[in-house]
Amino acid sequence: SGAGKTTMARICRENGARILNDDRLVIRWKDGAAWAAATPWHGDEPEVHPDLLPLGAVLFLNQAPHNRLVSLEPTAALMYLLSNSAAPFYNKPAIELLMETLAQVSDRVPAYSFDFTPDGRAFDCFRDVALHQRNSTR
């Protein structure tokens, strides 16, 4: 709460992006890639799309007076992913699947700590890094 998920969703939507969900997503590992899907549990924005889309990067948000994306090492990304996951502690196979999925995501999907201003400059910063990331993987 308060990290800026809804704010960032609004900024992205205002810049032409379609939002799966402004609060909680499901990440699945399928066919050697990470995929993101919406859940019915959204934040202040009621926009929810039922798409399953490839996950190109993971951003851990911090509202700040500046925009800065800092690349995270896989172990730091895993720590952040674990602390932001809903773990089904009552189900050992589900916990094992969660751990396996998060390990794969943290090892293979770029992750960033994203300090951002609550305006369009944040989208510009993110877009520039996303475009660079996409072009460097071609």
Side-chain angles (χ1 to χ4, degrees):
S1 179
K5 298 179 300 290
T6 297
T7 300
M8 183 54 67
R10 287 178 183 155
I11 290 168
C12 290
R13 188 182 62 245
E14 289 167 1
N15 284 276
R18 184 167 46 157
I19 307 304
L20 291 177
N21 184 315
D22 73 329
D23 193 54
R24 297 178 188 195
L25 296 174
V26 172
I27 298 174
R28 294 193 173 120
W29 192 262
K30 180 181 172 187
D31 301 327
W35 296 82
T39 67
W41 303 282
H42 57 81
D44 292 337
E45 290 292 310
E47 184 175 356
V48 175
H49 290 282
D51 299 328
L52 181 64
L53 299 173
L55 183 63
V58 177
L59 303 177
F60 299 100
L61 303 175
N62 307 294
Q63 290 194 49
H66 57 273
N67 293 301
R68 181 179 57 189
L69 273 160
V70 177
S71 181
L72 297 174
E73 294 295 323
T75 52
L78 179 59
M79 179 194 69
Y80 279 111
L81 286 166
L82 281 169
S83 67
N84 286 284
S85 296
F89 293 110
Y90 53 85
N91 185 321
K92 185 176 179 183
I95 288 286
E96 291 170 353
L97 179 60
L98 172 68
M99 295 303 296
E100 180 182 324
T101 300
L102 295 183
Q104 290 171 325
V105 170
S106 65
D107 281 342
R108 299 181 187 157
V109 177
Y112 301 91
S113 175
F114 188 19
D115 295 340
F116 74 97
T117 58
D119 58 35
R121 293 175 296 160
F123 184 82
D124 294 340
C125 178
F126 168 70
R127 183 193 61 225
D128 292 346
V129 169
L131 289 173
H132 174 74
Q133 180 70 32
R134 184 171 41 177
N135 291 334
S136 68
T137 58
R138 288 186 179 171

